[in-house]
Amino acid sequence: MNKQEISQKNLQEPLQDNYGRRFYYLRLSVTDVCNFRCDYCLPDGYQAGGHQQPELSTAEAETVIRAFAQLGTRKVRLSGGEPSLRKDLPEMIRAASQTPGIERVAITSNGYKLPSVIDTWQQNGLDQLNISIDSLDSDEFARITGHDCLPKILTGIDRALELGVQVKTNAVLLSDGAQARLQQFLAWLKTTPVTLRFIELMQTGDNRDYFASNHLRGATIEQQLIDSGWQLLPRPIDAGPAREYVHPDYAGRIGLITPYSKDFCDSCNRLRISAQGKLHLCLFADAGLDLRETIRTGDAQAVAERVRALIGNKELSHYLQRGDTGGTQNLSIIGG
């Protein structure tokens, strides 16, 4: 067997790290820019750095997606920042959906432009949509995000459901008012067929004081759900990190993402590429591993080989539990 044949054989084997974890899910950030000013992420709004490198082009994003498909990736999520700020996002969706081996294309968005773009996204191959909604109270939503646009976002979600797009919503758990928000969400889920995912507030380099004042353990909410008859669902191999629950009296589901829980990283199945073409083996790694020059060649196989060579550097766990946030200053940098 010659070198090229050996290389091709290796690329057909699922990507696996030194701890036996396999990776079926790519989170590809397409921009760091965000137009929201969420309290827990960018309270002062997005601030462009003077040393910022260009974002990946559509062609470069397509090369990344083809490379990861060769490595066994089944699901691609386009994230940000706010990905809808990229005018070429529909082309990226189409490139992902047409890549052999990719079974699901998802987007995480704040939903600000959703009513005007969801039809185009769906027509280009979008399967799943995640929208960040931290409160169903319009005034509180505006206070948290800096934008009074909740009704518009909910209208966009209704349209996505009409089009057959699977919809999930993300809500960061904040200690103040958590129970009131939970009751609002439960009332909404009675008749709305979406999956609401509560995400534990994570400490980053920029939000240490806010984290200390607002962190709420997801286990608190999870136990309430279990006591109320919610049942845990099996987790697909290309799913995100949420534990999802169903209840016979509700049209919607509830998921919990609890990064501070024991053994959270044992089931890690995802890798991240930043908008500048850096491989992040963990959301809270010290730094990304630069793939840009290889990506620019357009050689997906070369990118795949580089990723396979680097996967051995992935740590067993993040170190959030000891206050180590790595190089993550805020979650807009590589899409959370």
Side-chain angles (χ1 to χ4, degrees), residues 263-317:
D263 302 327
F264 175 77
C265 296
D266 288 358
S267 60
C268 184
N269 64 352
R270 58 206 172 280
L271 296 171
R272 295 170 171 83
I273 296 288
S274 75
Q276 291 74 41
K278 292 184 178 180
L279 171 66
H280 289 257
L281 298 173
C282 175
L283 177 59
F284 294 96
D286 287 334
L289 306 170
D290 200 346
L291 303 178
R292 191 62 177 263
E293 289 307 312
T294 309
I295 293 169
R296 280 175 173 160
T297 68
D299 187 341
Q301 181 172 324
V303 175
E305 290 173 341
R306 181 93 173 107
V307 172
R308 190 178 290 280
L310 292 169
I311 194 66
N313 296 318
K314 184 171 173 62
E315 298 277 358
L316 178 61
S317 172

Side-chain angles (χ1 to χ4, degrees), residues 124-169:
N124 279 278
L126 182 69
D127 302 300
Q128 181 183 309
L129 177 69
N130 284 38
I131 298 294
S132 298
I133 300 180
D134 293 308
S135 174
L136 287 173
D137 179 273
S138 291
D139 291 340
E140 185 175 47
F141 180 92
R143 179 183 60 77
I144 292 172
T145 66
H147 285 273
D148 185 8
C149 59
L150 179 60
K152 178 173 70 173
I153 293 171
L154 294 176
T155 297
I157 287 175
D158 289 341
R159 178 57 181 162
L161 292 171
E162 289 176 5
L163 293 170
V165 177
Q166 181 187 15
V167 178
K168 298 186 178 184
T169 57

Side-chain angles (χ1 to χ4, degrees), residues 164-295:
V165 177
Q166 181 187 15
V167 178
K168 298 186 178 184
T169 57
N170 300 332
V172 174
L173 279 175
L174 302 172
S175 57
D176 183 31
Q179 289 302 320
R181 285 190 292 274
L182 174 61
Q183 295 309 312
Q184 291 172 346
F185 281 123
L186 286 171
W188 186 51
L189 293 174
K190 276 280 188 180
T191 57
T192 308
V194 304
T195 298
L196 166 68
R197 301 169 345 144
F198 287 116
I199 305 173
E200 271 191 39
L201 178 66
M202 289 174 275
Q203 183 176 319
T204 64
D206 288 345
N207 77 351
R208 293 178 186 272
D209 291 341
Y210 186 90
F211 173 84
S213 301
N214 291 277
H215 182 243
L216 173 66
R217 289 276 184 179
T220 304
I221 301 296
E222 189 163 15
Q223 190 58 54
Q224 287 182 243
L225 296 174
I226 293 170
D227 292 343
S228 300
W230 290 80
Q231 300 291 319
L232 184 64
L233 288 169
R235 181 171 177 263
I237 61 173
D238 66 347
R243 297 186 300 281
E244 288 195 3
Y245 288 81
V246 294
H247 192 291
D249 297 336
Y250 290 80
R253 300 178 177 183
I254 295 181
L256 290 109
I257 299 176
T258 55
Y260 291 89
S261 60
K262 186 176 181 295
D263 302 327
F264 175 77
C265 296
D266 288 358
S267 60
C268 184
N269 64 352
R270 58 206 172 280
L271 296 171
R272 295 170 171 83
I273 296 288
S274 75
Q276 291 74 41
K278 292 184 178 180
L279 171 66
H280 289 257
L281 298 173
C282 175
L283 177 59
F284 294 96
D286 287 334
L289 306 170
D290 200 346
L291 303 178
R292 191 62 177 263
E293 289 307 312
T294 309
I295 293 169

Side-chain angles (χ1 to χ4, degrees), residues 29-98:
S29 177
V30 298
T31 183
D32 292 345
V33 181
C34 186
N35 57 333
F36 273 26
R37 302 187 300 275
C38 295
D39 289 346
Y40 51 82
C41 185
L42 293 173
D44 299 320
Y46 173 75
Q47 308 293 323
H51 60 282
Q52 189 79 327
Q53 297 179 353
E55 296 169 342
L56 292 173
S57 67
T58 300
E60 289 170 337
E62 183 176 0
T63 297
V64 170
I65 293 166
R66 287 191 290 111
F68 274 82
Q70 291 183 29
L71 294 167
T73 292
R74 300 181 184 182
K75 176 180 177 180
V76 172
R77 177 176 301 282
L78 303 175
S79 66
E82 173 46 44
S84 67
L85 299 178
R86 287 282 301 252
K87 293 182 179 179
D88 56 351
L89 186 62
E91 287 74 23
M92 291 186 177
I93 297 170
R94 184 168 64 251
S97 68
Q98 294 178 353

